[in-house]
PDB file of all heavy atoms in Angstrom:
ATOM      1  N   GLU A  37     -14.490  10.385  30.113  1.00 95.00           N
ATOM      2  CA  GLU A  37     -14.971  11.567  29.390  1.00 95.00           C
ATOM      3  C   GLU A  37     -16.468  11.437  29.124  1.00 95.00           C
ATOM      4  O   GLU A  37     -17.069  10.378  29.327  1.00 95.00           O
ATOM      5  CB  GLU A  37     -14.178  11.734  28.080  1.00 95.00           C
ATOM      6  CG  GLU A  37     -12.659  11.814  28.233  1.00 95.00           C
ATOM      7  CD  GLU A  37     -12.207  12.935  29.142  1.00 95.00           C
ATOM      8  OE1 GLU A  37     -12.924  13.934  29.306  1.00 95.00           O
ATOM      9  OE2 GLU A  37     -11.078  12.832  29.694  1.00 95.00           O
ATOM     10  N   ARG A  89      15.079  24.756  41.977  1.00 96.00           N
ATOM     11  CA  ARG A  89      16.175  24.513  40.998  1.00 96.00           C
ATOM     12  C   ARG A  89      16.548  25.782  40.276  1.00 96.00           C
ATOM     13  O   ARG A  89      16.587  25.830  39.037  1.00 96.00           O
ATOM     14  CB  ARG A  89      15.755  23.416  40.006  1.00 96.00           C
ATOM     15  CG  ARG A  89      15.517  22.119  40.688  1.00 96.00           C
ATOM     16  CD  ARG A  89      15.904  21.007  39.795  1.00 96.00           C
ATOM     17  NE  ARG A  89      15.490  19.701  40.289  1.00 96.00           N
ATOM     18  CZ  ARG A  89      15.827  18.556  39.695  1.00 96.00           C
ATOM     19  NH1 ARG A  89      16.563  18.562  38.605  1.00 96.00           N
ATOM     20  NH2 ARG A  89      15.473  17.417  40.214  1.00 96.00           N
ATOM     21  N   ARG A  92      13.925  27.270  37.750  1.00 97.00           N
ATOM     22  CA  ARG A  92      13.754  26.463  36.512  1.00 97.00           C
ATOM     23  C   ARG A  92      12.337  26.551  35.975  1.00 97.00           C
ATOM     24  O   ARG A  92      11.366  26.367  36.725  1.00 97.00           O
ATOM     25  CB  ARG A  92      14.135  25.047  36.858  1.00 97.00           C
ATOM     26  CG  ARG A  92      13.879  24.053  35.792  1.00 97.00           C
ATOM     27  CD  ARG A  92      14.278  22.665  36.258  1.00 97.00           C
ATOM     28  NE  ARG A  92      15.515  22.294  35.599  1.00 97.00           N
ATOM     29  CZ  ARG A  92      15.988  21.042  35.537  1.00 97.00           C
ATOM     30  NH1 ARG A  92      15.381  20.074  36.160  1.00 97.00           N
ATOM     31  NH2 ARG A  92      17.108  20.767  34.896  1.00 97.00           N
ATOM     32  N   GLN A  96       5.125  20.810  31.207  1.00 98.00           N
ATOM     33  CA  GLN A  96       4.362  19.598  31.646  1.00 98.00           C
ATOM     34  C   GLN A  96       3.395  19.222  30.568  1.00 98.00           C
ATOM     35  O   GLN A  96       2.801  20.093  29.908  1.00 98.00           O
ATOM     36  CB  GLN A  96       3.653  19.957  32.938  1.00 98.00           C
ATOM     37  CG  GLN A  96       2.961  18.803  33.580  1.00 98.00           C
ATOM     38  CD  GLN A  96       2.640  19.032  35.040  1.00 98.00           C
ATOM     39  OE1 GLN A  96       3.538  19.263  35.827  1.00 98.00           O
ATOM     40  NE2 GLN A  96       1.403  19.080  35.405  1.00 98.00           N
ATOM     41  N   GLN A 132       8.048  17.210  32.097  1.00 98.00           N
ATOM     42  CA  GLN A 132       7.596  16.227  33.076  1.00 98.00           C
ATOM     43  C   GLN A 132       6.122  15.903  32.853  1.00 98.00           C
ATOM     44  O   GLN A 132       5.376  16.660  32.270  1.00 98.00           O
ATOM     45  CB  GLN A 132       7.815  16.765  34.496  1.00 98.00           C
ATOM     46  CG  GLN A 132       6.967  17.963  34.845  1.00 98.00           C
ATOM     47  CD  GLN A 132       7.191  18.457  36.267  1.00 98.00           C
ATOM     48  OE1 GLN A 132       8.253  18.255  36.867  1.00 98.00           O
ATOM     49  NE2 GLN A 132       6.196  19.173  36.816  1.00 98.00           N
ATOM     50  N   HIS A 155      10.581   9.575  39.420  1.00 97.00           N
ATOM     51  CA  HIS A 155       9.724  10.104  40.472  1.00 97.00           C
ATOM     52  C   HIS A 155       8.476   9.253  40.647  1.00 97.00           C
ATOM     53  O   HIS A 155       8.015   8.586  39.731  1.00 97.00           O
ATOM     54  CB  HIS A 155       9.329  11.541  40.172  1.00 97.00           C
ATOM     55  CG  HIS A 155      10.456  12.525  40.352  1.00 97.00           C
ATOM     56  ND1 HIS A 155      11.631  12.449  39.650  1.00 97.00           N
ATOM     57  CD2 HIS A 155      10.565  13.599  41.192  1.00 97.00           C
ATOM     58  CE1 HIS A 155      12.441  13.462  40.037  1.00 97.00           C
ATOM     59  NE2 HIS A 155      11.807  14.162  40.964  1.00 97.00           N
ATOM     60  N   GLY A 157       4.495   9.553  41.018  1.00 97.00           N
ATOM     61  CA  GLY A 157       3.449  10.508  40.707  1.00 97.00           C
ATOM     62  C   GLY A 157       2.333  10.263  41.710  1.00 97.00           C
ATOM     63  O   GLY A 157       1.607   9.285  41.622  1.00 97.00           O
ATOM     64  N   LYS A 159      -1.181  11.291  43.859  1.00 98.00           N
ATOM     65  CA  LYS A 159      -2.455  11.964  43.605  1.00 98.00           C
ATOM     66  C   LYS A 159      -3.392  11.800  44.782  1.00 98.00           C
ATOM     67  O   LYS A 159      -3.332  10.782  45.455  1.00 98.00           O
ATOM     68  CB  LYS A 159      -3.140  11.358  42.360  1.00 98.00           C
ATOM     69  CG  LYS A 159      -2.245  11.168  41.151  1.00 98.00           C
ATOM     70  CD  LYS A 159      -2.560  12.071  39.993  1.00 98.00           C
ATOM     71  CE  LYS A 159      -1.514  11.971  38.894  1.00 98.00           C
ATOM     72  NZ  LYS A 159      -1.828  12.779  37.756  1.00 98.00           N
ATOM     73  N   GLU A 161      -7.613  12.636  45.529  1.00 97.00           N
ATOM     74  CA  GLU A 161      -8.907  13.238  45.206  1.00 97.00           C
ATOM     75  C   GLU A 161      -9.253  14.273  46.247  1.00 97.00           C
ATOM     76  O   GLU A 161      -9.016  14.045  47.436  1.00 97.00           O
ATOM     77  CB  GLU A 161     -10.016  12.180  45.137  1.00 97.00           C
ATOM     78  CG  GLU A 161      -9.772  11.074  44.129  1.00 97.00           C
ATOM     79  CD  GLU A 161     -10.001  11.498  42.684  1.00 97.00           C
ATOM     80  OE1 GLU A 161     -10.866  12.330  42.462  1.00 97.00           O
ATOM     81  OE2 GLU A 161      -9.292  10.982  41.788  1.00 97.00           O
TER      82      GLU A 161
ATOM     83  N   GLU B  37      20.232  24.617  44.632  1.00 95.00           N
ATOM     84  CA  GLU B  37      19.932  26.045  44.704  1.00 95.00           C
ATOM     85  C   GLU B  37      21.223  26.859  44.794  1.00 95.00           C
ATOM     86  O   GLU B  37      22.311  26.329  44.996  1.00 95.00           O
ATOM     87  CB  GLU B  37      19.018  26.331  45.920  1.00 95.00           C
ATOM     88  CG  GLU B  37      17.730  25.516  45.938  1.00 95.00           C
ATOM     89  CD  GLU B  37      16.853  25.684  44.692  1.00 95.00           C
ATOM     90  OE1 GLU B  37      16.963  26.731  44.005  1.00 95.00           O
ATOM     91  OE2 GLU B  37      16.041  24.780  44.384  1.00 95.00           O
ATOM     92  N   ARG B  89     -10.597  14.379  31.742  1.00 95.00           N
ATOM     93  CA  ARG B  89     -11.492  14.017  32.876  1.00 95.00           C
ATOM     94  C   ARG B  89     -12.575  15.063  33.013  1.00 95.00           C
ATOM     95  O   ARG B  89     -12.818  15.612  34.096  1.00 95.00           O
ATOM     96  CB  ARG B  89     -10.730  13.880  34.170  1.00 95.00           C
ATOM     97  CG  ARG B  89      -9.731  12.729  34.107  1.00 95.00           C
ATOM     98  CD  ARG B  89      -9.559  12.164  35.461  1.00 95.00           C
ATOM     99  NE  ARG B  89      -8.453  11.232  35.519  1.00 95.00           N
ATOM    100  CZ  ARG B  89      -8.237  10.456  36.577  1.00 95.00           C
ATOM    101  NH1 ARG B  89      -9.031  10.521  37.621  1.00 95.00           N
ATOM    102  NH2 ARG B  89      -7.221   9.606  36.592  1.00 95.00           N
ATOM    103  N   ARG B  92     -11.485  18.666  34.275  1.00 97.00           N
ATOM    104  CA  ARG B  92     -11.105  18.710  35.701  1.00 97.00           C
ATOM    105  C   ARG B  92     -10.021  19.736  35.947  1.00 97.00           C
ATOM    106  O   ARG B  92      -9.013  19.790  35.230  1.00 97.00           O
ATOM    107  CB  ARG B  92     -10.614  17.304  36.045  1.00 97.00           C
ATOM    108  CG  ARG B  92      -9.987  17.169  37.403  1.00 97.00           C
ATOM    109  CD  ARG B  92      -9.546  15.735  37.644  1.00 97.00           C
ATOM    110  NE  ARG B  92     -10.486  15.113  38.556  1.00 97.00           N
ATOM    111  CZ  ARG B  92     -10.223  13.982  39.232  1.00 97.00           C
ATOM    112  NH1 ARG B  92      -9.105  13.329  39.024  1.00 97.00           N
ATOM    113  NH2 ARG B  92     -11.089  13.481  40.064  1.00 97.00           N
ATOM    114  N   GLN B  96      -1.568  21.420  41.730  1.00 98.00           N
ATOM    115  CA  GLN B  96      -0.249  20.757  41.763  1.00 98.00           C
ATOM    116  C   GLN B  96       0.631  21.434  42.780  1.00 98.00           C
ATOM    117  O   GLN B  96       0.624  22.671  42.866  1.00 98.00           O
ATOM    118  CB  GLN B  96       0.360  20.814  40.380  1.00 98.00           C
ATOM    119  CG  GLN B  96       1.641  20.062  40.214  1.00 98.00           C
ATOM    120  CD  GLN B  96       1.943  19.771  38.719  1.00 98.00           C
ATOM    121  OE1 GLN B  96       1.181  19.116  38.041  1.00 98.00           O
ATOM    122  NE2 GLN B  96       3.046  20.279  38.264  1.00 98.00           N
ATOM    123  N   GLN B 132      -2.009  16.839  42.878  1.00 98.00           N
ATOM    124  CA  GLN B 132      -0.984  15.941  42.369  1.00 98.00           C
ATOM    125  C   GLN B 132       0.404  16.577  42.514  1.00 98.00           C
ATOM    126  O   GLN B 132       0.542  17.812  42.593  1.00 98.00           O
ATOM    127  CB  GLN B 132      -1.237  15.583  40.921  1.00 98.00           C
ATOM    128  CG  GLN B 132      -1.121  16.773  39.973  1.00 98.00           C
ATOM    129  CD  GLN B 132      -1.401  16.411  38.504  1.00 98.00           C
ATOM    130  OE1 GLN B 132      -2.091  15.410  38.218  1.00 98.00           O
ATOM    131  NE2 GLN B 132      -0.879  17.170  37.576  1.00 98.00           N
ATOM    132  N   GLY B 157       6.207   9.257  37.805  1.00 97.00           N
ATOM    133  CA  GLY B 157       6.557  10.642  37.488  1.00 97.00           C
ATOM    134  C   GLY B 157       7.738  10.632  36.570  1.00 97.00           C
ATOM    135  O   GLY B 157       8.847  10.314  36.969  1.00 97.00           O
ATOM    136  N   LYS B 159      10.404  12.309  33.778  1.00 98.00           N
ATOM    137  CA  LYS B 159      11.079  13.604  33.539  1.00 98.00           C
ATOM    138  C   LYS B 159      12.100  13.445  32.411  1.00 98.00           C
ATOM    139  O   LYS B 159      12.708  12.381  32.260  1.00 98.00           O
ATOM    140  CB  LYS B 159      11.846  14.042  34.798  1.00 98.00           C
ATOM    141  CG  LYS B 159      11.006  13.957  36.108  1.00 98.00           C
ATOM    142  CD  LYS B 159      10.668  15.272  36.684  1.00 98.00           C
ATOM    143  CE  LYS B 159       9.683  15.104  37.844  1.00 98.00           C
ATOM    144  NZ  LYS B 159       9.344  16.391  38.451  1.00 98.00           N
ATOM    145  N   GLU B 161      15.299  15.935  30.830  1.00 97.00           N
ATOM    146  CA  GLU B 161      16.033  17.210  30.702  1.00 97.00           C
ATOM    147  C   GLU B 161      15.948  17.666  29.259  1.00 97.00           C
ATOM    148  O   GLU B 161      15.996  16.837  28.316  1.00 97.00           O
ATOM    149  CB  GLU B 161      17.518  17.038  31.077  1.00 97.00           C
ATOM    150  CG  GLU B 161      17.771  16.553  32.498  1.00 97.00           C
ATOM    151  CD  GLU B 161      17.533  17.583  33.546  1.00 97.00           C
ATOM    152  OE1 GLU B 161      17.821  18.808  33.274  1.00 97.00           O
ATOM    153  OE2 GLU B 161      17.085  17.255  34.623  1.00 97.00           O
TER     154      GLU B 161
END
Side-chain angles (χ1 to χ4, degrees):
Chain A
E37 305 302 337
R89 297 213 189 186
R92 172 180 254 195
Q96 186 161 298
Q132 66 181 24
H155 287 60
K159 313 249 173 177
E161 300 286 327
Chain B
E37 305 302 338
R89 296 211 190 190
R92 171 179 255 196
Q96 185 161 300
Q132 65 180 24
K159 313 248 173 179
E161 301 285 327

